[in-house]
Every structure is written in C-alpha cells, then in structure tokens.
Amino acid sequence: MLFDTHAHLNDTQYNEDLEEVIERAENEGVTNMVIVGFDRPTIQRAMELVENYDFMYACVGWHPVDAIDMTDEDLTWIEELAAHPKVVALGEMGLDYHWDKSPKDIQQEVFRRQIRLAKKVKLPIVIHNREATADIVEILKEEGAEEVGGIMHCFSGSPEVAKECVKMNFYISLGGPVTFKNAKKPKEVAAEIPLEKLLIETDCPYLAPHPYRGKRNEPGYVKLVAEQIAEIKGLTLEEVAEATTQNAKKLFGIK
C-alpha cells in the first residue's frame, strides 16, 4: 500500500508504454498516485488520466519557471478545475531561481496568487522550491498558507527548515534523492521529521532512486524511497507505507 504523491505520468516520456508502467507500479504495491500538471498541456493530460484511472488524482497549478506565461485566464481555468472531485491539490507552485526564464518578482506574484486561490477553494498546495528557500518560507508566512497547508515537494533543505515548514501545516515529501549515497540532508530529514509528517514521491520521470539514478523514473520505484526511510528510522517497509499513505489520504481528503 504505497502512495506516490507526485508523479508526472502526463509526461510525453510515457506515451509509448503507460500501461506497462502502471502495471509495474501495481505489482510493487502502489495503490494511489497524484498526477501533477503545471502548465496547459500537462494539466489537460493530468485531467484525462484521472478520468480514466480510479487510483489517480490530480494536482493542478502553474510552475514557477513558466510564471511569465501565466495569464488571468489560466488562473481562472485552474479555479474551475479545482471544483473537480478528483483534483486534490493546487500546484506545483513556488519559486525556482535556478532558471532565469521568469523574473523573480513575476514568480513571486504568481506564487502569491495561487496561494490565495488555494485558500479560496480550500485545497492544499504543493510547493516547488529550487534555490529559493528563504523567499518561499517568507511568502508562505505572509500569505497565511498555513490555513490550507500542503506539501514541500521533493524536499532538499535542512532538517531545521523542514521543521519550520511542519509548523506551518506542511508535510515533508521525500523522493529518489534520499536513496543517493551522498545525499546527506534528505537522510537527516528522514531521521528527524516524525513519520506522521512525511510523504513519499517519485517526481517521475525525474530523480530516479538508486540503483536507477540517471534513468527514467516511474511510480513503482517509490517503494525504494519507502524502504530507505524505513531503514533510516528503524521501521518496517509496511509501517512506512501505511503511515505515508494515511498521511496523504488525510491531506488530500481521500477516503
């Protein structure tokens, strides 16, 4: 019973073998997954998938790298989709200072607008953070994001920042990097953050865990993330799977 809380099966990399990928995930015990759309094409594809598969849910929002492209119409469309029974969160949203396509001020404004929308529609938010931790935390506090809470997706920061986010009603989600031999911070976070505040994800097709690092990721590999967390915490795989699945269902309002 594993819940991949962040998957991009709407990526074109799965066009040829989607059914095989899904079958492998089921064979590894993956019972639920959230498909994340972050621009027009990926949101549309995410909605198609959740209409076709009972165990898939959607998260819809606008990625910070493409913030400069988001229009008022796009935000209205996301608000309309938020009413769909299988849309369980808004995102991924946030800040990405690694790429310079969208200026920081535009990224921040688009981020703030999506947080306000999430509060309006009463859905949790999924946060993308790359090289922007201080600004992310500040904006979450200023906008009262604690009201809806959400997920710090593929968290790569320190245990101290993770604890600050937990206080703001956020879950800490760990992905493939926690399995990398040189990934000191994710392992520390796995050790220090209570299991009741942890989630697992693949972020597939990106960030495949060891021993698939550098290859295309897929939802079935989320089991390797759970196994690593179990090893770090001295728990069984079943305990981590059960807890992280219940955490995800509670956050997303899934029965």
Side-chain angles (χ1 to χ4, degrees):
M1 189 162 124
L2 295 158
F3 196 135
D4 184 356
T5 60
H6 198 110
H8 297 285
L9 289 185
N10 45 350
D11 192 283
T12 55
Q13 290 191 46
Y14 301 105
N15 284 358
E16 301 300 317
D17 63 344
L18 180 64
E19 289 303 325
E20 291 92 332
V21 169
I22 290 169
E23 188 177 338
R24 284 195 291 272
E26 289 175 333
N27 290 341
E28 292 296 343
V30 179
T31 52
N32 298 94
M33 55 184 84
V34 169
I35 310 301
V36 181
F38 53 80
D39 60 14
R40 282 260 170 187
T42 59
I43 290 171
Q44 287 167 339
R45 179 63 177 143
M47 297 309 296
E48 288 171 12
L49 288 171
V50 303
E51 293 279 3
N52 289 328
Y53 297 95
D54 289 346
F55 55 89
M56 292 186 190
Y57 298 85
C59 171
V60 297
W62 213 264
H63 200 286
V65 170
D66 301 314
I68 197 165
D69 300 325
M70 193 189 83
T71 64
D72 291 344
E73 289 76 18
D74 292 324
L75 198 63
T76 300
W77 180 52
I78 290 167
E79 182 173 354
E80 289 165 358
L81 289 175
H84 191 288
K86 294 198 80 180
V87 171
V88 294
L90 296 192
E92 56 190 284
M93 64 179 77
L95 303 174
D96 191 315
Y97 292 168
H98 182 76
W99 307 106
D100 59 5
K101 177 184 171 183
S102 296
K104 290 181 181 179
D105 59 333
I106 292 176
Q107 288 192 41
Q108 291 172 12
E109 180 57 27
V110 165
F111 184 23
R112 289 180 188 276
R113 291 180 74 188
Q114 290 186 88
I115 296 171
R116 291 167 196 163
L117 174 58
K119 290 165 72 176
K120 181 180 176 183
V121 300
K122 297 181 169 53
L123 283 176
I125 57 179
V126 175
I127 305 301
H128 172 101
N129 170 22
R130 192 163 185 192
E131 298 169 20
T133 300
D135 287 353
I136 291 256
V137 171
E138 184 180 359
I139 289 171
L140 290 174
K141 286 179 177 172
E142 288 176 359
E143 295 295 335
E146 181 178 347
E147 185 182 316
V148 289
I151 302 173
M152 305 307 291
H153 142 64
C154 210
F155 188 80
S156 60
S158 67
E160 292 71 31
V161 172
K163 288 169 187 172
E164 195 172 357
C165 294
V166 166
K167 282 182 190 160
M168 289 192 289
N169 198 22
F170 280 81
Y171 288 85
I172 306 301
S173 186
L174 296 172
V178 77
T179 69
F180 300 166
K181 289 185 172 63
N182 59 350
K184 189 171 169 231
K185 280 186 184 173
K187 292 183 196 300
E188 289 173 350
V189 167
E192 293 189 36
I193 298 302
L195 185 57
E196 61 266 22
K197 297 306 294 185
L198 287 178
L199 296 171
I200 55 175
E201 64 169 90
T202 57
D203 197 22
C204 64
Y206 317 108
L207 295 173
H210 177 79
Y212 301 104
R213 189 173 183 178
K215 298 187 168 74
R216 185 188 71 170
N217 201 358
E218 54 182 71
Y221 297 166
V222 79
K223 184 178 182 181
L224 296 165
V225 176
E227 286 173 343
Q228 181 68 64
I229 294 170
E231 185 179 323
I232 290 167
K233 285 191 167 298
L235 300 169
T236 65
L237 169 63
E238 290 71 27
E239 285 171 321
V240 171
E242 170 73 20
T244 53
T245 294
Q246 292 310 318
N247 292 347
K249 287 186 172 181
K250 180 181 173 185
L251 174 67
F252 295 132
I254 297 170
K255 296 204 165 80

